[in-house]
Amino acid sequence: MKFFLDTANVEEIRKALRTGLVDGITTNPSLVAKAGRSYRDVLNEICDLVNGPISAEVLSVDAADMVVEAENLAGIHPNIVIKIPMTQDGLIAANALVRQNIPVNMTLIFSPLQALICGKIGVDYVSPFIGRLDDIAHTGMDLVADILTIYENYGFDTEVIVASVRHPVHVVEAARLGAHIATLPAAVFDRLALHPLTDLGMEKFLSDAAKIPRE
Ligand code: E4P
């Protein structure tokens, strides 16, 4: 299973990279707005740091504009993957980009049918938003299961990025289903290694270690 970090915060990326667990980065306009810097500056810096796919989202809404914007973003670095929103225009733009061999991550996926048509046009990634479905009393992880079944049925190569992850249980469930990738906010990423029994165990070892006679 691959882990992407879902952030436009370069300090969070530097810190997480030290674990050796980060396979790529996803950003979106909300995350870049939070970082308070220009999209291009942030992307340049991330591309210098990370050796893996880096998703950059188009801000245009019209298909032709999306394609032009995507071509510019793709020129920043070979690792850039273009994030396209799952709209009618987005579908047309994604199809054009796939034909140009520009990697595409289709975002804002909320239904199996949306994922099916993305697989059919051959995008590299789809991003189902699990947490946002849970928020409206749907079971987000059911969508991931449906997409994986559909892609298996038709032998699609599109990889599933479990997105809008809110807590570590989402990561466990995604792994159980065999999702290719989970993209994690730093708050979730930082909790992957934690367990209260590990902390208690360490406390006991350290207090006992203090009793061992020094040579
Ligand atoms: C990732 O590609 C998405 O942009 C992100 O996971 C959305 O998460 P949110 O629902 O917490 O904003």
Side-chain angles (χ1 to χ4, degrees), residues 35-157:
R37 305 171 54 195
S38 89
Y39 212 155
R40 200 162 260 269
D41 282 355
V42 171
L43 288 174
N44 276 325
E45 205 172 336
I46 296 174
C47 290
D48 285 344
L49 289 173
V50 179
N51 184 19
I54 296 157
S55 285
E57 187 159 341
V58 294
L59 307 178
S60 312
V61 289
D62 168 83
D65 294 342
M66 282 185 194
V67 171
V68 172
E69 201 185 332
E71 288 165 349
N72 285 329
L73 287 169
I76 293 177
H77 194 278
N79 284 343
I80 293 282
V81 173
I82 307 301
K83 228 175 172 190
I84 302 276
M86 180 64 259
T87 58
Q88 290 287 4
D89 276 79
L91 189 64
I92 293 163
N95 184 48
L97 295 171
V98 168
R99 309 297 133 211
Q100 290 186 55
N101 288 320
I102 293 180
V104 171
N105 170 5
M106 214 67 182
T107 191
L108 289 170
I109 297 287
F110 291 100
S111 84
L113 283 177
Q114 290 178 323
L116 169 61
I117 58 178
C118 290
K120 191 166 162 62
I121 65 169
V123 302
D124 297 72
Y125 306 97
V126 285
S127 292
F129 277 32
I130 301 317
R132 294 193 196 184
L133 280 168
D134 288 355
D135 287 345
I136 57 158
H138 286 245
T139 304
M141 214 45 77
D142 287 351
L143 172 59
V144 174
D146 282 347
I147 298 172
L148 289 170
T149 302
I150 289 167
Y151 285 4
E152 175 75 22
N153 287 348
Y154 295 102
F156 292 150
D157 293 328

Side-chain angles (χ1 to χ4, degrees), residues 6 26 28 83 127 129 132 163-164 166 183:
D6 195 26
T26 51
N28 66 36
K83 228 175 172 190
S127 292
F129 277 32
R132 294 193 196 184
S164 188
R166 298 278 162 79
T183 189

Side-chain angles (χ1 to χ4, degrees), residues 1-19:
M1 184 186 200
K2 285 175 271 186
F3 289 141
F4 290 176
L5 206 62
D6 195 26
T7 185
N9 180 316
V10 174
E11 286 320 308
E12 287 180 355
I13 294 171
R14 278 186 209 283
K15 184 177 160 221
L17 281 173
R18 293 166 61 202
T19 64

